[in-house]
Amino acid sequence: MTKQATALNKREQAFKSSTKARTARVFSISLKGIPQLDTSAKARLEAAARDPAGKRRDYPQLTIE
Amino acid sequence: MPLTPTAFYADHLAQLHRLLLEHRIAKAHLSGTGIRLDGNDLGLDDRFDLPFGELSTLEFAHLFCVFDGSRVHQQAEKFPSRDDAPPGLYFTVINSKIIRNQHKNRTGLISEAVGETDLFIEALHVDHFFLNEQNTPRSLGTIAFTLCSITAHLAGLAHISLVAAGGVGFNPRHVGYKVWPRLGFDAALLPGETHGVLHLEACQTVQDVIAIDGAWWDAHGSQRLMAFDLAVASRSWQKLIPYVREKVLAESTL
């Protein structure tokens, strides 16, 4: 009886200490300092996407039914 | 501040969202667990403070297609990348089981000017997306993209862009130009692209063509930058919602 109660207490304490140690965090994600894509830059990217001689080997791929 | 659902979400996306969250494939691979972001093991109670609101770890995982057990690295790109991705804040996802060998998936948050105005919108750009077909269920990509698009809509983002590759004049092993439009991606036709094809001459976009003659697009279409429009009731949603209901939810056991 005493042994079992002690084991349970230890497990409970371990659970309490592990949950106590874990604190929710907040990660800030900001676009500060990253330039906006303007119309001329977008036109360049659209042209690059159409370049059959582009050096890029892979593009987003998805298999669907 | 948590994301605020739109009336469109409540009427057209909420049920689909709930069904996908309960889907066995999403539970197995997109539950927001086992993720390590720049050396930090994420917990489900962590939060992400973004310019458009606050995301939970699960929402972060869905927005950037982060599969369970992945390592993620954040990178600010101030110039177009060597693969011609726009400047943005990118999240590179490394997962040797889910993502095809030697690949790293990469999705970024970008800010885009509206015409010549001072206004701007925020959007997502999918730079790389490859799944290991041998190790993943066949619907995983569609489920991941749908959860991404729903979360992006809730976040108020304007669109999701990517290069849909292959087609006439391009590498024949790429079929993105056929596949991504089936999920709702669209782009303007090139000048004269359907010239002389009488039944398609009035078309202005890829989706216009597909609505009339999908086989023509499969045979004559080609690579370009495409976008999924996240706006309320867009044509993109009109394609994606029935597609997911028919192809993923109808034939699956939840």
Side-chain angles (χ1 to χ4, degrees):
Chain A
M1 168 68 185
T2 315
K3 261 188 172 179
Q4 197 179 8
T6 309
L8 280 172
N9 284 342
K10 277 185 179 172
R11 277 207 297 275
E12 196 173 310
Q13 278 172 4
F15 175 74
K16 277 181 182 167
S17 61
S18 70
T19 49
K20 202 174 181 181
R22 179 70 180 76
T23 311
R25 294 156 297 180
V26 178
F27 295 89
S28 284
I29 294 175
S30 167
L31 284 169
K32 197 176 174 184
I34 296 172
Q36 286 176 9
L37 186 67
D38 60 23
T39 48
S40 59
K42 187 167 185 184
R44 282 197 296 277
L45 295 175
E46 285 175 336
R50 288 283 309 156
D51 180 7
K55 290 178 182 170
R56 182 171 178 170
R57 290 179 304 165
D58 288 301
Y59 295 89
Q61 290 178 31
L62 184 69
T63 303
I64 61 174
E65 292 92 72
Chain B
M1 193 173 68
L3 305 180
T4 313
T6 59
F8 175 73
Y9 172 84
D11 294 341
H12 299 278
L13 298 177
Q15 189 202 26
L16 177 67
H17 196 187
R18 185 178 54 76
L19 291 171
L20 289 175
L21 291 172
E22 290 170 1
H23 197 287
R24 61 188 164 78
I25 292 175
K27 283 184 170 175
H29 298 289
L30 288 158
S31 69
T33 57
I35 299 169
R36 193 168 173 82
L37 171 63
D38 288 332
N40 297 295
D41 289 320
L42 297 183
L44 286 172
D45 51 355
D46 287 330
R47 313 292 298 175
F48 293 82
D49 187 15
L50 287 114
F52 44 76
E54 194 178 87
L55 299 184
S56 66
T57 295
L58 184 62
E59 289 164 337
F60 169 83
H62 291 168
L63 185 62
F64 295 105
C65 295
V66 182
F67 301 103
D68 294 353
S70 296
R71 282 185 293 132
V72 185
H73 297 296
Q74 180 183 185
Q75 296 143 324
E77 299 281 0
K78 296 190 177 181
F79 304 97
S81 72
R82 62 191 172 95
D83 279 344
D84 295 310
L89 189 64
Y90 283 85
F91 292 89
T92 300
V93 179
I94 302 159
N95 188 318
S96 58
K97 286 183 186 165
I98 303 286
I99 298 169
R100 201 186 299 171
N101 236 358
Q102 300 176 333
H103 285 290
K104 295 171 186 176
N105 286 0
R106 194 163 179 266
T107 302
L109 187 61
I110 65 171
S111 177
E112 191 174 317
V114 179
E116 302 296 333
T117 69
D118 291 336
L119 301 174
F120 67 92
I121 46 104
E122 282 152 349
L124 275 187
H125 181 76
V126 180
D127 185 25
H128 291 270
F129 189 87
F130 306 92
L131 297 184
N132 185 335
E133 289 160 22
Q134 290 171 340
N135 287 351
T136 56
R138 62 180 179 168
S139 298
L140 180 60
T142 305
I143 291 172
F145 173 73
T146 308
L147 287 170
C148 165
S149 58
I150 291 172
T151 309
H153 171 80
L154 285 170
L157 302 185
H159 60 249
I160 302 171
S161 59
L162 51 73
V163 177
V168 175
F170 292 88
N171 191 329
R173 76 185 169 89
H174 294 140
V175 292
Y177 79 102
K178 289 195 279 190
V179 172
W180 292 108
R182 287 184 191 155
L183 272 66
F185 279 81
D186 200 4
L189 292 178
L190 307 172
E193 192 164 12
T194 55
H195 182 70
V197 188
L198 290 180
H199 67 301
L200 300 176
E201 278 198 334
C203 295
Q204 297 188 327
T205 70
V206 172
Q207 290 294 349
D208 288 345
V209 171
I210 291 171
I212 296 171
D213 190 348
W216 188 93
W217 179 255
D218 287 355
H220 302 281
S222 62
Q223 178 168 317
R224 69 202 61 198
L225 191 64
M226 291 191 183
F228 183 98
D229 183 359
L230 294 163
V232 165
S234 72
R235 197 175 197 179
S236 296
W237 290 121
Q238 289 169 29
K239 289 283 285 195
L240 183 67
I241 295 168
Y243 179 84
V244 175
R245 286 194 180 283
E246 181 192 343
K247 299 289 186 181
V248 179
L249 297 177
E251 60 189 42
S252 69
T253 308
L254 295 177

